[in-house]
Amino acid sequence: MTYVVSVDACIPEGTSEMDPLQRAGAVALIEDGFDSVKSVEGPDGVQVDLVDTIVAVHPGGVLLKVVVDAPALEYAEDAVHALVDELLERSELLADWKIERCEVELHQGLAKESLDAADGPDAPPEDPAARKARHAERATAASTDADDTETKATAARSRMLRLADELRSFSPAMFGVRDTGDTGDTERAGGRAGECAPECAVPPDSARLAAGALVHATDVLVDELFEDVQVLTQEDTNVAECEGPLWHLEHLPDRYALRYDAAFARRFLVTVIALTTRFTDGSFRRLSCVAEELALRFLLGQATTALELYGLLDDDVSAALDAFTDTVYDGMDHEWLYGDPTDEDDEEAPDDVAALTIAPTTPTTPMAFASWFTPFDEARYIHPSAADEPAT
């Protein structure tokens, strides 16, 4: 059976965060370690095969997604934990790192197989009396649905407000809160906003809720994109020809659907992780490439979906997200990629690309597929695992 194991490993407590060069070195060391391993001996001598890995390093450590074939969940988790522990110990630079989390996630294909085998969780009992009893239970449960919905919405709101503290790169003003001069420039959307004057465009709590929704959406988006990577890898195909279910990649511009293979999907996933890491560690300045523009589009969509799910997307929260979107995109325009490609060359940007400047302060940059992971200028950050291959 195929299992996805998520692993978080962190640098030693009290040490300085890694700079870009150190992060690139950590990626290389860990990826080289995985490349040298084909299988792992789990508990009781059981062989666990390594199928695929994705490595994303951030200033405080590394996030790993490891896919293995194992006879049981416990074997998969134990084998991956032991493998990562050994890979870290092999390197003098990583030997002091600590594994903080190692969890197994059931692959979506297995879940679907289980549901199909059982005819789904909502299949009615064959016995008429049992069906009658089920209907009676549902009628009773319906009377408490409203209370349950309100309880879930309250819990979701509280969680998102707590998560807002993690979005360190953005001040409340980025979400439309009027700056009254009571807070410093270093205050972030997740921080404690000062008292806001009555003329605030967006209430501070609505800005915090929008910020927390973005952090919540990050976890969901990364996990679902990873599943998309696995589907494309297992089918050895691209989005246009994929028969399996996909969460997000099929919502990229249709004109390049034949190009969205597993290798592209890995680069896009790493781009999402790198972008959202900069959002949460306080280092974000500007979007770096077209792929990040598209990644932000997905993140905003996921955040909006989560807020709608719990009935939290009111006018003020919508205004906060709109203000954030306008500020971060800062004049960038990738929408033409979703237009009709009939009259456009597959490799070139449209003739009027001069009107679609990347940002008011940067030169015009074409957004052809080949340049999606190319930084807009030398000052922009691209994760080493997503960057273009050097020209030969």
Side-chain angles (χ1 to χ4, degrees):
M1 298 180 71
T2 302
Y3 296 95
V4 178
V5 185
S6 295
V7 182
D8 285 338
C10 297
I11 59 178
E13 186 175 352
T15 59
S16 301
E17 292 186 339
M18 294 183 290
D19 59 31
L21 182 59
Q22 290 172 321
R23 295 199 293 268
V27 169
L29 289 171
I30 295 172
E31 288 184 340
D32 287 347
F34 278 123
D35 289 342
S36 66
V37 178
K38 297 300 181 184
S39 63
V40 185
E41 186 174 307
D44 303 323
V46 174
Q47 178 173 308
V48 175
D49 294 326
L50 189 65
V51 178
D52 195 13
T53 58
I54 291 180
V55 181
V57 174
H58 55 86
V62 63
L63 171 63
L64 307 174
K65 294 285 189 176
V66 185
V67 184
V68 295
D69 283 336
L73 181 150
E74 293 80 6
Y75 292 118
E77 184 176 272
D78 290 345
V80 170
H81 191 289
L83 172 59
V84 174
D85 197 35
E86 180 180 346
L87 293 180
L88 295 177
E89 288 183 358
R90 284 184 191 177
S91 170
E92 181 179 350
L93 297 176
L94 309 178
D96 293 332
W97 286 29
K98 303 297 182 184
I99 297 176
E100 291 197 343
R101 181 176 69 97
C102 184
E103 297 178 349
V104 174
E105 303 169 359
L106 184 64
H107 190 272
Q108 66 175 16
L110 299 178
K112 184 177 184 300
E113 289 177 8
S114 298
L115 292 177
D116 290 344
D119 292 329
D122 295 324
E126 294 183 4
D127 180 60
R131 286 201 297 271
K132 182 177 180 180
R134 172 182 285 194
H135 290 315
E137 291 173 0
R138 288 179 174 175
T140 302
S143 63
T144 63
D145 281 350
D147 292 338
D148 289 344
T149 299
E150 184 176 353
T151 299
K152 290 178 181 178
T154 300
R157 177 184 174 83
S158 297
R159 180 173 183 271
M160 290 182 186
L161 289 174
R162 290 195 304 271
L163 288 174
D165 292 327
E166 299 182 19
L167 202 70
R168 299 180 178 90
S169 284
F170 307 103
S171 69
M174 297 283 283
F175 289 88
V177 176
R178 188 72 54 81
D179 184 2
T180 63
D182 294 333
T183 59
D185 292 339
T186 59
E187 187 175 54
R188 304 301 178 188
R192 294 182 177 84
E195 292 296 323
C196 186
E199 67 270 21
C200 285
V202 173
D205 274 357
S206 296
R208 284 179 57 80
L209 188 56
L214 289 168
V215 179
H216 168 82
T218 296
D219 288 341
V220 177
L221 179 60
V222 168
D223 285 343
E224 292 178 350
L225 279 173
F226 185 79
E227 292 192 17
D228 283 359
V229 171
Q230 290 310 116
V231 170
L232 293 177
T233 300
Q234 291 180 349
E235 292 192 18
D236 190 22
T237 187
N238 54 65
V239 168
E241 299 170 341
C242 182
E243 297 181 358
L246 295 171
W247 287 101
H248 297 284
L249 294 180
E250 63 184 358
H251 301 302
L252 287 168
D254 289 339
R255 68 182 66 211
Y256 300 126
L258 289 169
R259 306 285 191 87
Y260 306 145
D261 56 12
F264 168 88
R266 291 188 187 92
R267 296 175 73 190
F268 190 75
L269 172 58
V270 170
T271 298
V272 171
I273 294 172
L275 175 64
T276 53
T277 296
R278 302 199 323 272
F279 281 4
T280 56
D281 70 7
S283 65
F284 177 81
R285 296 296 177 267
R286 295 172 296 177
L287 295 174
S288 296
C289 60
V290 174
E292 286 197 351
E293 293 184 45
L294 296 169
L296 178 57
R297 179 191 183 99
F298 283 5
L299 182 66
L300 289 165
Q302 191 71 55
T304 301
T305 298
L307 289 164
E308 288 177 336
L309 176 65
Y310 295 107
L312 301 175
L313 190 65
D314 60 21
D315 291 342
D316 287 334
V317 177
S318 294
L321 286 175
D322 288 344
F324 173 84
T325 301
D326 292 342
T327 305
V328 176
Y329 273 121
D330 191 24
M332 297 180 179
D333 188 355
H334 62 276
E335 291 297 330
W336 72 267
L337 289 170
Y338 286 89
D340 184 2
T342 305
D343 298 325
E344 296 172 11
D345 187 273
D346 191 52
E347 283 297 327
E348 299 297 332
D351 293 338
D352 62 345
V353 72
L356 303 173
T357 56
I358 294 303
T361 58
T362 60
T364 299
T365 305
M367 291 185 280
F369 180 80
S371 63
W372 278 15
F373 297 94
T374 302
F376 295 140
D377 56 54
E378 294 182 356
R380 313 288 177 117
Y381 174 77
I382 303 293
H383 192 283
S385 296
D388 293 331
E389 295 292 335
T392 57

